[in-house]
Amino acid sequence: MTQRILLTGGAGYIGSHTYAALVEAGYEVVILDNFSNSARDVPDRLELLLDRKIKVIEGDVLDRAMLDRVFAKHDFDAVVHFAASKAVGESVKEPLAYMQNNIGGLVTLMQAMQAAGVFRLVFSSSASVYGNNAQLPIAETAERSYGNPYGHTKLVCEQIIEQTLASDPRWAVGVLRYFNPVGAHPSGLIGEDPAGVPDNLMPYIAKVAGGELPCISIFGDDYPTPDGTGVRDYIHVCDLADGHVLSLRSLFHEGKGHVVNLGTGRGYSVLEVISAYAQASGRDIPYLVAPRRPGDAAATYANPALAKEMLGFSARFDLGDMCRSSWEWVSTQAQSADA
Ligand code: NAD
Ligand code: UD1
C-alpha cells in the first residue's frame, strides 16, 4: 500500500529536493508551505521534473485549525517537517519571530498530529545544536549547545521531541542533524535561490562565478586548519534528500525513531570550495581575506557512522558534484532570466 506523507516546507530548498526523492521512492506526498521563503513556481518546476501533478496546500504550520482540516481530509502515515526560518543573522535580530515560527510551528504540528493519530515524524535539525566547540569528527553523543537564537530553536525543538516521546510511546521520530547542505538537483530545475546577498558560502560563490557579485570575502585565514580557512562538512542536497527517504523507511519498518547526523564525514576548507567551484564553472572566483566572522567555528564535520549503521545512509556525491550541480542551476536560472 502506498504510504502518504505530509511535507511541511516542501517548496523550500531541501523540501523540494526531498519531495522529488520521496515521489521517486514511491510515496504519495502532499506539500504544505506558506511560501514565506520559497518561489511560487517551485510546484510547477516539480511537475516538470517528475511529470506528474503536485498536491500543494498553501498554509502556515502555526494555523492549528487548518492543520486539523488537512489531517481530517488526508489519511497521512507520516510527516516530514522542514517548515522553519533558517537565517542565523536574522534570528539574532528577531529572536521572538524565530522562537514562534520554529518552536511554535513544531508544537502546533505535533499537537495536530497527536489529535489525528499520526505519530511518525521526521524533523529537520541542524549541526548547529553542537555549538562551536564539539570534538571532531562530531558524534551524536557530543554535548549540545547553541551559539545563536536559530541554533537555540533547533535545540529546544529536539528537547520538545524527547519529552513528547517520553510521554507517549506511540511516537516514532527521526531527528536528522544536517551539516552544510549545498548543490542542486542535476535537472537544473530546482535549487537554492536565496533572496538578496547570500550569507552562506556556496550561494555567495555562485553569485561571484555568475558575475552578480564582484568577489568573495574569506572570513579568516588564521584558523588552526591546514590552510587557515574554515572547514565544513558540505553535503549534496540530493544525498540529504535520500537521507529522508531512509529515515522514513526506518520509521515504518523499525517502528522506532533515531537521532543521526547527515554529513559526508569529510571537511573542506573555504579555499578548497573556491577552487572546486572555479573548476566546475570555468570562471575566475576573485577573493579577498577579511576578518573572522563572529561566532564561526574553525572546523566542523560529522562522524557519519551512526547514520550508516541505523539507516544505511552514506553520501554518494563529492565536492566537485556539489559545485557542478550548483553551477548548472545558477546558469540555467540566469539563462531563463535573460530569455
Ligand atoms: P527554506 O527556507 O528553503 O525552506 C523552508 C520552507 O518552509 C520554505 O519554503 C518556507 O516558505 C516554509 N515555511 C517557513 N515557515 C513556515 C510556516 N510557518 N508554515 C509553512 N511553511 C513555512 O529552508 P531549507 O534550507 O530548505 O531548510 C529546511 C529545514 O532544514 C529548516 O527547518 C532548516 O532550519 C533546516 N536546516 C537547514 C539547513 C541549511 O543549511 N539549509 C541546515 C540545517 C538545518
Ligand atoms: C551557517 C550557520 C549555521 C547554519 C548554516 C546553514 C553561522 C555561524 N552558522 O553555518 O548555524 O546551520 O549556516 O547552512 O552563521 N564563509 C566565508 N565567506 C562567506 C561566507 C562564509 O569565508 O561569505 C566561510 C565561513 O566562515 C565558514 C564557511 O565559509 O567557514 C561556511 O560558512 P556558511 O556557508 O555560512 O556555513 P556555516 O558557518 O557552517
Side-chain angles (χ1 to χ4, degrees):
M1 223 179 63
T2 312
Q3 282 141 341
R4 281 172 294 260
I5 314 295
L6 177 66
L7 207 62
T8 76
Y13 172 45
I14 306 170
S16 55
H17 290 79
T18 302
Y19 181 91
L22 288 172
V23 167
E24 276 157 10
Y27 291 101
E28 202 178 300
V29 190
V30 175
I31 290 176
L32 172 75
D33 203 298
N34 67 1
F35 292 91
S36 56
N37 198 38
S38 40
R40 291 273 162 190
D41 66 350
V42 170
D44 296 340
R45 289 166 171 273
L46 285 170
E47 285 193 355
L48 208 59
L49 176 65
L50 297 159
D51 195 22
R52 67 165 64 202
K53 205 94 199 98
I54 308 287
K55 265 197 206 138
V56 184
I57 299 165
E58 181 164 351
D60 197 301
V61 289
L62 290 163
D63 182 347
R64 174 66 195 274
M66 178 276 302
L67 288 178
D68 287 344
R69 286 195 300 277
V70 168
F71 280 107
K73 182 167 175 202
H74 302 266
D75 197 8
F76 289 118
D77 298 294
V79 177
V80 182
H81 181 44
F82 290 108
S85 310
K86 64 162 180 179
V88 170
E90 190 181 54
S91 80
V92 175
K93 293 191 196 105
E94 297 172 41
L96 293 174
Y98 270 66
M99 302 293 161
Q100 182 182 34
N101 203 35
N102 295 6
I103 301 172
L106 176 74
V107 172
T108 311
L109 176 69
M110 289 184 85
Q111 283 176 324
M113 289 174 67
Q114 197 166 39
V118 181
F119 291 102
R120 294 184 197 94
L121 171 68
V122 176
F123 175 69
S124 296
S125 191
S126 163
S128 61
V129 299
Y130 295 120
N132 275 349
N133 298 311
Q135 201 190 321
L136 300 172
I138 304 176
E140 290 80 354
T141 47
E143 202 182 322
R144 288 176 298 184
S145 77
Y146 59 87
N148 52 62
Y150 166 75
H152 194 187
T153 66
K154 291 291 171 186
L155 176 50
V156 172
C157 285
E158 287 200 1
Q159 291 166 333
I160 288 168
I161 289 168
E162 284 155 21
Q163 286 156 15
T164 307
L165 287 172
S167 76
D168 186 340
R170 287 175 296 175
W171 284 97
V173 183
V175 173
L176 307 181
R177 293 177 179 159
Y178 314 152
F179 278 68
N180 291 54
V182 294
H185 195 274
S187 63
L189 284 168
I190 51 172
E192 188 175 18
D193 197 7
V197 177
D199 291 325
N200 297 119
L201 182 67
M202 196 170 290
Y204 201 113
I205 292 178
K207 288 200 188 254
V208 175
E212 266 183 71
L213 293 169
C215 95
I216 172 94
S217 300
I218 297 179
F219 297 145
D221 68 350
D222 55 355
Y223 283 109
T225 58
D227 64 23
T229 67
V231 166
R232 295 292 183 273
D233 186 340
Y234 298 94
I235 175 167
H236 197 299
V237 66
C238 292
D239 275 329
L240 201 64
D242 290 344
H244 292 74
V245 176
L246 295 172
S247 173
L248 267 179
R249 244 180 228 157
S250 169
L251 294 185
F252 283 117
H253 293 152
E254 306 295 326
K256 64 180 173 62
H258 42 265
V259 180
V260 297
N261 290 334
L262 290 184
T264 65
R266 162 91 159 83
Y268 292 100
S269 73
V270 175
L271 279 170
E272 283 177 297
V273 178
I274 292 174
S275 154
Y277 211 100
Q279 201 179 354
S281 61
R283 301 288 178 96
D284 277 344
I285 317 275
Y287 63 82
L288 55 82
V289 176
R292 291 180 180 191
R293 182 171 64 180
D296 268 358
T300 58
Y301 49 90
N303 179 338
L306 191 65
K308 173 131 194 171
E309 183 192 319
M310 296 199 75
L311 308 182
F313 174 81
S314 52
R316 289 179 292 150
F317 299 111
D318 66 15
L319 183 62
D321 300 317
M322 300 179 215
C323 295
R324 276 188 294 278
S325 65
S326 161
W327 178 240
E328 173 76 24
W329 158 247
V330 169
S331 25
T332 316
Q333 289 286 96
Q335 276 160 19
S336 42
D338 289 347

